[in-house]
Amino acid sequence: MAYNLQSLITILEGILNPQQSLWNVDRNKPQLQSLLHKAESLLHILEKSSLTNIPSNLESQIRDVSYKAEDIIETRMVSSKLMQDRISKFEQVVSNPVSLAFHTSDLQQVTQDLDLVMEQVVKLMQGRTATSSNLASFSHGDVQQAIQQQESVKLVEVDEIKMTADAPLSSSKSNLVGVDADILQLKDRLTNMQSKLEIIPITGMGGIGKSTLAQNLYDDQLIITHFDYRGWAAISQLPNMRDILLSLLRRPDDKIDDELNGCNENELKDILYKRLFGRRYMIVLDDIWTTKFWDGIRMYFPNNSNGSRIVITTRESNVAQHIVNSKSLHHNLQLLNKAASWDLLRQTVFGEEDCPLELQEIGTKIVSECGGLPLAIHVTGGILSKIERSIDAWEHLSIDVKASIVKSEEQFSNILSWSYNHLPIHLKPCFLYMGIFSEDHEIKGSRLTSIWIAEGFVKSNGDKSLEEKAKDYLNVLVERNLLFVAKKKANRKALSYSMHDLLRDLCIRKANEEKFLHVEDYMRRVSVESSYDMEDVCASPQLMSFARSFICTNDKINISPVFGILRLVRVLDVTSMLLEEFPEEILQLVNLRYLAINCSSGLPDGISRLHNLQTLICPHFMPYVPSELWDMHELIHIKFKETVFKIRNIKFDLKKLQTLYTVRVTPKLISSGFFERIPNIIKLGICYGDSPNIVVDLGHLYKLEILHCLSELDKDGSRFLQKLRFPSNLKNLTLGGCVVFRSLLTTLCTLPNLEVLRIVKCVFEREGEAEEEEEWEATEGGEFHSLLFLQLDSLNLVHWKADETNFPKLRKLFVFGCYKLDEIPSAIGDIPTLQDIMIVNCGDSVMASAQQIQKVQQEEYDNFDLKVFIV
């Protein structure tokens, strides 16, 4: 449980930092420095020794002393800050810094406890080294060499993997090995001439690849062209019928229509039935656990007698039996044979490279212990790919595999436990935190890394920021196949992540063993999904007062009683429900680092009391944002999805701010030098209402990568783009409700790193000319050098002239709601990198031009990689 030490170290470093001005710790400074030194020393020893299988009693001692020290320090910090706030409010003065004093005996006790733990860890290391030296069959020199090699292997395993910015984000889990016959058989069942509605169950044990196989079929080009409509929904053990219906009704671009969001469950069922009626459809219901769910939805899939198909995946044979009434119709996946298992492991570890001959024998030995289970092979391969490619290193790990694997279900459990035990210490809390989210939950990477930072799991070495280090952690978990990329951004970088349900089972089991989440006598991190959970939480107010994370995912629960209990909470996420008023009790939670709240009343005066706050997320429109928000100089991310706020007075340079959505540009904002005060901003949203002649110079914001420029077409401010100066490092640009001139497009071509361009509800105009038919004519030399994704949405364009030289790297072209546009330029099809063209709600001529592009590419150039989607 050494990772708890990092959280403790983060707290101590914060209050001992000579540059911080909030805390005065002169009275206890020597004791706190001693405690920090001992915690750092113990963590260093545990990291470098790479001790695995630490006795449970020693793990418990490390955990308990870490928790105890955290509780003592943060309890005192919260009490002192609240006392100062009360005094300041009463006397109407601000007295800084806050005097932070502890009982000497408390600090002495936790320091002594750390000393005791350190002594036991050192003895454990010495004992294991002594055991290794008692190998009678080796000379003394051989023994020393073997020990050094063993430690070398271990150190390679725990050292952080350095991830490059362009490292592949998707794992090899999508590789399909040994299932060619399954694919052919299922394709035949999906596309044969049988007209009646057929349900096809894919069954098998967990981790055998049911979902992967179904996904491969779902994305197959033959299947795409055969069916008029396709829908996919993940069901899981606790199905949410409304979310499932929305998934099945989701548009091809992964968006949900606003009108659907406003429908209740019964209305969504009726819409689903009507949308499927008369069409040949393919529906995938992934991971069904109970017959009750099927019985509740089956009547909304019409039998159109036109060859429609429903594919279900389940590990429960009785569920499949209930659905199709015949076991002979099940497609039961089998474990991989030895050859296929080795092929899968080789691909996972080496990709397209050949496996060195000297590793093949030990590799086949390792993979044989995986029992032919694809997920086990992927996880094992993820570990092998991160260690030294040597016989000694692989032999060492093969011993651990043999020791940890037993028969039956426990076999796979032990394989996954092995993968967890071999995680570097700093990654273990990041992995365990996934257990707080519900099954099949997809979480954005930015949210996850912000939470890890708020919890104190991430330590920067000085070369990188905390956010950059957290992204490295995330990438390593993906590379080890412990997290999977669920969705990607337009530039193909990861957007959201998920965890396989079996890995989540392991995650929760380990988290419970280590008292990381909500277990008996501990409520360190709490997730509430039901009223029963809430009753359990409120029944233990003393335990809840020590909780560091509270996440609620149910919008029907009354959570107001919990705010007065969460005294030391760092992470509070209650965005699942809409609150009419901002709970005043939250202003007492001065230990908060991460706050995500859905509130319609606006932020209250006094929000600056949350002086530690790093991330503030408000997805609902908030009519009021107090100016004191800009006094909170610890803020890193401010994400207001719909709110546009004015900024009046800035007292601090917001050097830590990296995300800000959305600020209204006014003359006063520019004159105040606001954009000079946010030098490290990475994501920025700006909005114009009027004053189009304001010059906004963002050229000095060298770290700005994502920019949203919004306006209203009925306002003069919609012409502001002529006065906007872009930073050269910009990668992602969205223009909404603006007037677009040719000179602007020429300017955008000069941005060397621009990868994503969205032009939404804009008007194209020529400077100084009144044109009835608006056009975008890409001039010679007007080249978007790096553009990967282009979206044209609800525009007045009539003519678009361009060729492959203007977009040499384009991969995806989305055209939505451009009713006036006559066609897609035919030369667009000659772009060698182009993969997808999606046309939604456009005229017949646009659809015909896209289809013609695909036809020419296939017939004349044998290019079958280009896909055209028309909705």
Side-chain angles (χ1 to χ4, degrees):
M1 295 303 298
Y3 59 75
N4 289 296
L5 292 168
Q6 182 55 60
S7 177
L8 173 60
I9 290 168
T10 300
I11 298 169
L12 289 168
E13 287 178 336
I15 60 179
L16 289 170
N17 184 348
Q19 296 181 349
Q20 65 88 22
S21 58
L22 181 63
W23 305 108
N24 179 358
V25 293
D26 290 345
R27 174 179 166 184
N28 299 108
K29 191 171 184 178
Q31 295 99 319
L32 292 171
Q33 288 175 328
S34 174
L35 184 60
L36 174 60
H37 174 71
K38 292 179 185 296
E40 289 177 326
S41 299
L42 178 56
L43 180 58
H44 180 76
I45 290 173
L46 290 165
E47 285 179 332
K48 293 305 178 184
S49 67
S50 186
L51 285 171
T52 57
N53 300 319
I54 297 177
S56 58
N57 63 328
L58 182 54
E59 282 195 342
S60 298
Q61 290 180 57
I62 297 172
R63 176 193 65 237
D64 291 345
V65 69
S66 300
Y67 282 176
K68 182 178 180 181
E70 282 186 22
D71 293 344
I72 289 173
I73 295 171
E74 290 193 308
T75 295
R76 191 60 185 165
M77 291 173 71
V78 168
S79 298
S80 299
K81 184 63 173 66
L82 290 176
M83 178 63 73
Q84 188 220 35
D85 288 345
R86 285 193 290 269
I87 293 174
S88 300
K89 183 177 180 181
F90 178 75
E91 298 180 352
Q92 295 185 340
V93 297
V94 177
S95 56
N96 278 324
V98 182
S99 178
L100 187 59
F102 301 89
H103 294 296
T104 303
S105 58
D106 289 340
L107 295 180
Q108 287 179 340
Q109 183 60 56
V110 292
T111 303
Q112 291 172 4
D113 292 342
L114 269 180
D115 285 334
L116 180 61
V117 168
M118 175 88 78
E119 181 181 342
Q120 294 183 64
V121 169
V122 171
K123 286 181 179 179
L124 179 64
M125 289 175 56
Q126 292 172 341
R128 290 188 177 179
T129 303
T131 301
S132 299
S133 64
N134 289 329
L135 303 175
S137 59
F138 289 85
S139 67
H140 176 74
D142 290 332
V143 168
Q144 293 303 313
Q145 183 179 5
I147 292 174
Q148 290 173 4
Q149 289 176 340
Q150 183 184 51
E151 287 303 308
S152 174
V153 170
K154 290 176 178 178
L155 287 175
V156 168
E157 179 63 20
V158 300
D159 281 346
E160 178 187 344
I161 308 300
K162 302 297 183 183
M163 304 296 296
T164 60
D166 57 352
L169 290 170
S170 60
S171 70
S172 58
K173 181 166 169 53
S174 58
N175 294 342
L176 288 175
V177 174
V179 294
D180 290 345
D182 298 274
I183 291 176
L184 289 174
Q185 184 180 345
L186 287 167
K187 275 189 180 181
D188 180 66
R189 291 183 65 179
L190 286 166
T191 60
N192 62 28
M193 300 303 294
Q194 180 175 308
S195 61
K196 74 173 184 178
L197 174 65
E198 183 180 2
I199 302 167
I200 304 173
I202 300 177
T203 59
M205 66 180 295
I208 204 166
K210 302 181 294 296
S211 298
T212 303
L213 178 58
Q215 185 72 58
N216 184 273
L217 292 165
Y218 186 80
D219 291 335
D220 187 270
Q221 188 61 40
L222 173 64
I223 301 301
I224 292 173
T225 56
H226 182 77
F227 292 97
D228 302 322
Y229 187 96
R230 294 175 305 131
W232 178 292
I235 311 307
S236 78
Q237 290 172 287
L238 297 172
N240 183 310
M241 181 63 78
R242 189 174 187 278
D243 289 346
I244 290 167
L245 292 167
L246 287 172
S247 293
L248 294 175
L249 292 167
R250 194 184 302 271
R251 285 163 45 186
D253 60 337
D254 284 337
K255 292 183 179 178
I256 297 175
D257 296 332
D258 291 338
E259 64 177 288
L260 293 179
N261 273 321
C263 295
N264 60 38
E265 184 175 307
N266 290 329
E267 290 171 334
L268 290 174
K269 288 177 177 178
D270 290 337
I271 293 172
L272 177 63
Y273 184 90
K274 292 175 182 177
R275 185 170 292 188
L276 298 180
F277 187 82
R279 306 172 81 175
R280 181 193 291 163
Y281 61 84
M282 175 190 178
I283 296 293
V284 178
L285 302 175
D286 184 38
D287 197 22
I288 294 182
W289 284 77
T290 67
T291 60
K292 181 179 179 181
F293 164 78
W294 171 254
D295 292 339
I297 199 173
R298 60 186 299 180
M299 67 184 69
Y300 299 98
F301 298 123
N303 183 2
N304 298 321
S305 298
N306 60 359
S308 294
R309 302 287 185 262
I310 299 175
V311 176
I312 69 164
T313 70
T314 179
R315 68 180 68 175
E316 301 291 332
S317 296
N318 63 317
V319 173
Q321 181 77 11
H322 172 84
I323 292 174
V324 298
N325 262 338
S326 174
K327 195 169 185 178
S328 63
L329 296 177
H330 298 187
H331 190 94
N332 192 40
L333 284 183
Q334 303 299 313
L335 295 170
L336 300 180
N337 59 32
K338 291 182 179 179
S341 295
W342 166 243
D343 193 26
L344 181 56
L345 183 69
R346 180 189 58 77
Q347 289 187 29
T348 304
V349 179
F350 299 100
E352 298 299 322
E353 301 176 19
D354 291 328
C355 172
L357 290 175
E358 66 268 20
L359 294 180
Q360 290 186 11
E361 182 177 351
I362 183 61
T364 54
K365 178 182 177 183
I366 289 173
V367 81
S368 67
E369 306 291 351
C370 295
L373 194 61
L375 182 59
I377 297 170
H378 278 295
V379 174
T380 303
I383 297 170
L384 289 174
S385 66
K386 299 305 174 191
I387 66 170
E388 181 184 349
R389 294 181 180 180
S390 70
I391 294 178
D392 289 337
W394 283 36
E395 284 280 6
H396 175 74
L397 287 176
S398 72
I399 295 173
D400 284 344
V401 175
K402 293 173 69 175
S404 67
I405 291 181
V406 293
K407 295 181 180 180
S408 172
E409 287 294 326
E410 191 176 349
Q411 170 183 344
F412 182 63
S413 173
N414 285 340
I415 291 175
L416 294 181
S417 295
W418 174 63
S419 71
Y420 170 77
N421 292 336
H422 281 78
L423 269 178
I425 287 174
H426 63 271
L427 291 181
K428 287 187 175 181
C430 302
F431 174 76
L432 293 182
Y433 203 95
M434 291 297 293
I436 204 170
F437 304 112
S438 58
E439 188 178 9
D440 292 321
H441 180 79
E442 290 183 14
I443 180 170
K444 284 190 174 182
S446 58
R447 178 189 177 200
L448 192 56
T449 53
S450 294
I451 289 175
W452 289 348
I453 292 170
E455 276 276 9
F457 299 156
V458 184
K459 179 176 177 60
S460 173
N461 57 8
D463 297 331
K464 292 184 176 182
S465 67
L466 290 174
E467 289 71 25
E468 290 170 328
K469 292 292 291 185
K471 289 177 183 177
D472 286 345
Y473 291 8
L474 194 54
N475 288 335
V476 174
L477 288 175
V478 171
E479 287 298 305
R480 289 172 176 265
N481 293 306
L482 293 172
L483 284 182
F484 304 115
V485 176
K487 285 188 177 68
K488 293 185 178 182
K489 302 176 185 177
N491 59 2
R492 303 186 71 187
K493 294 182 179 180
L495 172 64
S496 61
Y497 299 81
S498 62
M499 178 178 282
H500 190 282
D501 53 358
L502 288 178
L503 285 167
R504 181 175 178 272
D505 290 343
L506 165 76
C507 178
I508 292 175
R509 186 170 67 254
K510 287 294 182 182
N512 288 342
E513 290 173 1
E514 300 176 3
K515 298 183 178 180
F516 184 86
L517 297 176
H518 175 189
V519 294
E520 185 178 0
D521 297 332
Y522 277 88
M523 288 187 175
R524 210 69 183 180
R525 294 163 188 91
V526 178
S527 176
V528 171
E529 299 181 16
S530 66
S531 297
Y532 175 80
D533 293 337
M534 193 64 190
E535 292 175 4
D536 190 23
V537 164
C538 293
S540 306
Q542 181 62 30
L543 294 178
M544 273 297 293
S545 67
F546 293 103
R548 296 316 200 272
S549 282
F550 180 83
I551 296 176
C552 182
T553 58
N554 189 321
D555 61 354
K556 300 296 192 297
I557 299 175
N558 177 21
I559 61 171
S560 56
V562 82
F563 295 131
I565 304 175
L566 294 167
R567 184 174 175 80
L568 302 182
V569 68
R570 300 168 184 161
V571 175
L572 179 62
D573 189 335
V574 290
T575 52
S576 62
M577 62 197 66
L578 178 61
L579 304 175
E580 294 183 1
E581 296 291 336
F582 189 97
E584 289 292 325
E585 297 91 337
I586 291 180
L587 299 181
Q588 303 297 310
L589 307 181
V590 295
N591 205 36
L592 267 181
R593 272 81 167 164
Y594 179 102
L595 174 61
I597 186 168
N598 207 358
C599 179
S600 59
S601 66
L603 294 178
D605 293 330
I607 190 70
S608 60
R609 297 180 204 168
L610 306 180
H611 65 283
N612 285 313
L613 202 61
Q614 300 167 343
T615 299
L616 176 60
I617 300 174
C618 304
H620 192 273
F621 174 76
M622 303 186 80
Y624 177 68
V625 178
S627 59
E628 66 184 274
L629 183 68
W630 312 109
D631 298 343
M632 302 170 66
H633 52 281
E634 293 296 320
L635 278 170
I636 301 172
H637 305 289
I638 302 175
K639 301 178 183 180
F640 291 175
K641 185 176 180 180
E642 298 180 3
T643 301
V644 178
F645 44 83
K646 291 185 178 181
I647 299 175
R648 295 179 177 86
N649 298 314
I650 304 295
K651 298 180 181 179
F652 293 95
D653 288 334
L654 303 173
K655 293 181 179 179
K656 294 186 179 181
L657 198 62
Q658 296 182 13
T659 305
L660 176 61
Y661 290 131
T662 299
V663 57
R664 184 176 297 278
V665 176
T666 63
K668 190 169 184 178
L669 181 80
I670 301 302
S671 63
S672 71
F674 174 74
F675 292 115
E676 284 71 32
R677 296 176 180 269
I678 53 172
N680 296 307
I681 198 76
I682 296 174
K683 303 176 184 179
L684 176 65
I686 59 176
C687 178
Y688 281 72
D690 45 31
S691 303
N693 294 319
I694 302 175
V695 176
V696 179
D697 187 359
L698 305 181
H700 64 283
L701 299 178
Y702 300 112
K703 295 184 180 181
L704 183 61
E705 296 182 0
I706 300 174
L707 175 63
H708 288 200
C709 299
L710 309 176
S711 187
E712 300 176 24
L713 283 172
D714 59 345
K715 299 282 187 179
D716 289 338
S718 60
R719 300 178 182 272
F720 72 93
L721 292 175
Q722 291 177 300
K723 301 290 185 178
L724 182 63
R725 297 174 186 172
F726 298 94
S728 60
N729 196 45
L730 197 64
K731 295 181 179 179
N732 187 317
L733 174 63
T734 297
L735 305 177
C738 308
V739 174
V740 176
F741 296 102
R742 177 175 293 182
S743 59
L744 169 70
L745 299 170
T746 302
T747 299
L748 298 184
C749 289
T750 66
L751 300 177
N753 301 308
L754 188 63
E755 297 176 343
V756 177
L757 176 60
R758 295 181 176 90
I759 307 177
V760 182
K761 296 181 180 179
C762 291
V763 168
F764 280 69
E765 286 186 8
R766 290 191 176 189
E767 290 107 329
E769 298 183 25
E771 292 286 338
E772 292 184 3
E773 293 188 349
E774 300 305 333
E775 69 176 18
W776 178 8
E777 181 177 359
T779 58
E780 184 177 350
E783 180 179 320
F784 289 83
H785 299 274
S786 302
L787 199 67
L788 306 176
F789 177 94
L790 175 62
Q791 177 178 331
L792 306 176
D793 190 343
S794 305
L795 307 178
N796 68 328
L797 270 183
V798 177
H799 303 301
W800 180 22
K801 300 177 182 179
D803 58 35
E804 70 276 13
T805 64
N806 301 119
F807 306 98
K809 296 183 179 180
L810 191 67
R811 292 174 179 166
K812 296 181 183 295
L813 171 63
F814 285 10
V815 183
F816 300 159
C818 294
Y819 298 103
K820 296 183 178 180
L821 186 63
D822 52 10
E823 65 177 5
I824 306 296
S826 59
I828 290 291
D830 296 328
I831 299 173
T833 56
L834 191 62
Q835 299 172 349
D836 298 324
I837 298 177
M838 177 174 286
I839 310 297
V840 179
N841 294 334
C842 291
D844 293 341
S845 60
V846 173
M847 294 187 288
S849 64
Q851 292 170 332
Q852 180 64 21
I853 288 173
Q854 184 182 42
K855 181 180 179 181
V856 170
Q857 289 297 308
Q858 292 178 352
E859 294 181 354
E860 298 186 14
Y861 303 103
D862 291 329
N863 177 13
F864 291 91
D865 294 329
L866 176 59
K867 300 176 181 178
V868 174
F869 304 92
I870 297 177
V871 179

